[in-house]
Amino acid sequence: MKNIVLIGMMGCGKTTVGGLLAARLGRELADTDAWVEAREGRTIAQIFADEGETYFRDRERDAAAELARRQDLVIACGGGLPLRPDSIGCLKESGVVFWLDRDPGETYDALDTGGRPLAQDGRAAFVDRYRQRASVYRACADYIIQGAESAQAAADAVVERLARKEEDQ
Ligand code: S3P
């Protein structure tokens, strides 16, 4: 079966929603950030500090290419992964892409900014980053889960959407 690919801003719940989906659907959860950290043997923050963002994005592309070769996964993508067409392209081919879209201000207020190098400049910068990325997320997404009240509600919406998709086919 096709992969389920979750995209969206830092803190929008990709990993939490991905965990709920994986448990509910009996799939494995893969997380591109965790994949890169395991491969590199250091944290995202360390990779950014030591090597810079371009190096990290290249490793993110490696994660995408590797995970896209597999099936039946729920894949939680790092928030910036869709910015690189060569990263999101293969994942999109391998699965169905859901954008977990939440109000960026509320997302920031609930965000643990520790360990997130691109969330260090405050709320306004975070909201700005969301605005810059929104059109990319929209273009990549097969479906948009808008403003879900909770991770459980977002997971329910994904499952419902997938069931409707199967009915349509
Ligand atoms: C990033 C999001 C992070 C991580 C890195 C960069 C981004 O992942 O990949 O810090 O550019 O939005 P999460 O979305 O899981 O926080």
Side-chain angles (χ1 to χ4, degrees):
M1 283 231 285
K2 283 188 151 199
N3 293 321
I4 298 170
V5 180
L6 305 179
I7 62 170
M9 281 300 275
M10 295 166 254
C12 73
K14 291 161 297 195
T15 305
T16 310
V17 174
L20 292 170
L21 285 170
R24 174 132 162 215
L25 302 172
R27 291 178 178 228
E28 185 184 330
L29 173 67
D31 183 301
T32 62
D33 286 340
W35 193 98
V36 169
E37 287 185 331
R39 166 66 70 90
E40 287 284 311
R42 45 189 172 164
T43 64
I44 304 283
Q46 281 167 336
I47 298 168
F48 266 76
D50 295 347
E51 318 282 353
E53 182 172 351
T54 303
Y55 178 90
F56 171 72
R57 297 295 174 206
D58 288 344
R59 300 292 75 74
E60 215 173 27
R61 183 202 51 210
D62 297 343
E66 184 85 13
L67 295 172
R69 281 195 213 106
R70 297 179 53 194
Q71 288 196 317
D72 285 325
L73 296 174
V74 178
I75 303 174
C77 295
L81 185 146
L83 301 175
R84 289 265 299 252
D86 53 344
S87 295
I88 193 64
C90 56
L91 287 176
K92 192 163 165 60
E93 274 174 33
S94 82
V96 188
V97 179
F98 289 88
W99 173 21
L100 306 186
D101 185 22
R102 285 177 57 196
D103 178 84
E106 282 173 25
T107 305
Y108 182 82
D109 293 340
L111 183 69
D112 177 3
T113 57
R116 288 186 159 111
L118 298 186
Q120 301 304 311
D121 301 321
R123 195 177 197 265
F126 187 88
V127 172
D128 244 26
R129 193 180 289 281
Y130 166 89
R131 293 208 179 110
Q132 284 161 21
R133 288 181 175 182
S135 59
V136 174
Y137 291 147
R138 188 169 294 112
C140 295
D142 295 301
Y143 301 106
I144 301 173
I145 306 298
Q146 195 100 43
E149 288 294 317
S150 63
Q152 189 60 62
D156 289 346
V158 170
V159 169
E160 232 171 73
R161 190 61 251 185
L162 287 170
R164 252 192 286 157
K165 182 172 181 287
E166 267 165 34
E167 269 172 27
D168 293 347
Q169 279 170 355

